[in-house]
Amino acid sequence: MSERRQRWRLGIVGAALAAGLVQAFTQPPFAQDPAYHLFADTRVIAGVPNFWNVVTNLPFLLVGAFGLARLGRLRRPDLRLEVLAFSSGVALVALGSAFYHLAPSNASLVWDRLPMTVGFMALFSLIVRDRLQESLGRRALWPLLGLGATSVAYWYATELQGAGDLRFYFVVQFLPMLLIPLILLTGPGGGGLRSAWLWATLAIYLLAKQAEAHDRALYEATALLSGHSLKHLIAACAVLCALLAALRPRHAAD
């Protein structure tokens, strides 16, 4: 890729990033809605409260373990640290989210959101390194992980002070998901990630968010699983697609 085209891509992504930050932080602060913790499915099964919202986190643990077990099969072995961080974050989401759903509250939600930021930030760093600029992505991993953790700590600290502010956390969760399609559309990659699996990741993640938004409606319609439980299962599929994007096919020579 020519230096001029590289500067153009960096400028486009940088402008989108700046616009997203301005849009987010010119809005007034907003606290966590207490109704967020009122999930549709509160059934107690085998003594476990909110049973299905708890146990549907198991796929995150399995997918995270899958990623960790296949670090030796990456299309680009030099992306090992990013994939390690991503897979570890996903595995920890299973534990943090299960803990939160046993007794939903702002305090337990911290342990759900912390590993989520690890996953989001590691994936973003991975895509920046492979698809936008090698040196930028390589340097970005640890600062991005720090920003993710800080966003959760800041949100919870403001909640404790009676003036909750979720804006920083929302930037960490949603802005990368808006920037990733732009990065994919504006140029080729470095051979470490397959585009089809990345687009599948984004599409399935959007489906998971739709299920989450229709928690009660889906529970009432199916009488089996709520939208939030389905969100866990669907989001785990999105994570699996992201890992498959980074792995060599089984038939590839070792």
Side-chain angles (χ1 to χ4, degrees), residues 23-81:
Q23 176 66 24
F25 290 109
T26 53
Q27 303 299 314
F30 60 99
Q32 183 67 60
D33 183 356
Y36 177 84
H37 305 301
L38 303 177
F39 298 101
D41 188 354
T42 59
R43 286 175 290 178
V44 177
I45 300 176
V48 179
N50 310 308
F51 179 83
W52 288 110
N53 281 342
V54 171
V55 300
T56 51
N57 285 288
L58 178 60
F60 288 118
L61 183 60
L62 298 176
V63 173
F66 170 83
L68 293 172
R70 283 159 177 76
L71 290 174
R73 295 193 59 85
L74 299 179
R75 289 164 60 86
R76 280 186 58 182
D78 57 319
L79 299 178
R80 179 185 177 92
L81 184 59

Side-chain angles (χ1 to χ4, degrees), residues 1-16 124 127-128 130-133 178-190 195 198-199 202:
M1 182 184 299
S2 69
E3 184 177 344
R4 181 178 180 181
R5 180 172 174 80
Q6 179 73 338
R7 288 199 302 267
W8 173 80
R9 292 185 72 213
L10 288 170
I12 291 292
V13 174
F124 188 53
I127 290 174
V128 167
D130 185 66
R131 291 303 181 104
L132 186 61
Q133 187 180 71
L178 298 176
L179 294 177
I180 287 170
L182 183 60
I183 294 171
L184 297 181
L185 288 170
T186 55
S195 295
L198 293 177
W199 285 114
L202 295 171

Side-chain angles (χ1 to χ4, degrees), residues 145-186:
L145 293 179
L147 283 173
T150 301
S151 73
V152 177
Y154 172 77
W155 158 67
Y156 189 57
T158 59
E159 291 286 352
L160 292 177
Q161 294 168 5
D165 186 359
L166 270 169
R167 292 176 299 173
F168 188 7
Y169 173 74
F170 268 43
V171 164
V172 165
Q173 181 176 174
F174 294 112
L175 191 53
M177 294 298 108
L178 298 176
L179 294 177
I180 287 170
L182 183 60
I183 294 171
L184 297 181
L185 288 170
T186 55

Side-chain angles (χ1 to χ4, degrees), residues 130-147:
D130 185 66
R131 291 303 181 104
L132 186 61
Q133 187 180 71
E134 168 73 23
S135 59
L136 177 61
R138 187 174 60 250
R139 294 193 303 266
L141 176 61
W142 293 111
L144 285 173
L145 293 179
L147 283 173

